[in-house]
Amino acid sequence: MQGFDEARSPKRKREREERARGKGMANSVRNSNMATPAFTLHPSFSPLISLYDAFLLDQFGVIHNGSQSLHGAVDCIKLMLDQKKKLAILSNTSSPAHVALKRLKKYGLREDMFDGGLVSSGEGCAKFVRENYCCDSNDPENSGKVKKALWL
């Protein structure tokens, strides 16, 4: 593990600056003695659509910013649908999925565009709490015991 001084060395500083400018090992990860691309930058999302059958889209920051749809997001979603792609939305909202789906209308989208629906972290957490922390009156061992969970 590298120490603090090594991380601040002139060589490391140069590498960080090159990464910021998009040079050197910026787009690669060291793999033994070879450099393997870690990611590829694309100027547009459109060429990627034909490469996949389905897309999982994060809601906030990909489709909208909380007050309006992001530039090109609705057109891109329509293009994916024109190419018969399956779409689903992932969200960190604490709202139930059906509530979050209804909010899409204000961004120019419809619920039926997302045949994969919307998966919300709130709904997932609520399900986990119900399944793991609620009393089961049919279970004689736990009958009457109250389990507590704090959701932050």
Side-chain angles (χ1 to χ4, degrees):
M1 187 160 123
Q2 72 183 20
F4 179 76
D5 292 333
E6 184 183 342
R8 295 181 52 92
S9 72
K11 179 183 176 190
R12 295 284 188 216
K13 182 179 178 185
R14 247 189 338 275
E15 288 174 352
R16 284 191 302 274
E17 289 170 351
E18 287 176 354
R19 280 195 298 271
R21 289 192 305 269
K23 296 181 180 175
M25 291 293 294
N27 297 330
S28 302
V29 171
R30 291 186 191 273
N31 182 0
S32 302
N33 295 327
M34 301 171 42
T36 306
F39 60 88
T40 304
L41 297 176
H42 297 276
S44 172
F45 191 77
S46 298
L48 301 176
I49 295 173
S50 65
L51 302 176
Y52 300 92
D53 299 314
F55 293 88
L56 303 174
L57 307 171
D58 190 34
Q59 184 174 228
F60 192 87
V62 174
I63 296 174
H64 65 80
N65 65 9
S67 58
Q68 62 186 26
S69 62
L70 296 177
H71 177 74
V74 174
D75 291 336
C76 187
I77 288 168
K78 289 177 179 176
L79 182 61
M80 287 188 266
L81 291 171
D82 289 344
Q83 294 185 31
K84 308 290 187 231
K85 303 303 175 176
K86 304 290 183 192
L87 305 178
I89 298 175
L90 302 175
S91 177
N92 283 329
T93 185
S94 58
S95 300
H98 72 277
V99 172
L101 277 169
K102 288 189 187 318
R103 288 188 201 131
L104 294 175
K105 189 184 295 186
K106 81 177 193 179
Y107 305 116
L109 300 168
R110 298 180 324 275
E111 292 179 50
D112 65 339
M113 295 172 132
F114 303 93
D115 52 3
L118 185 143
V119 178
S120 76
S121 60
E123 214 160 45
C125 287
K127 180 180 180 205
F128 178 83
V129 168
R130 262 192 323 275
E131 292 174 356
N132 294 283
Y133 291 97
C134 290
C135 291
D136 183 359
S137 59
N138 295 325
D139 181 357
E141 270 186 50
N142 293 313
S143 183
K145 290 183 183 177
V146 175
K147 294 182 181 179
K148 295 181 180 181
L150 178 62
W151 182 351
L152 302 173

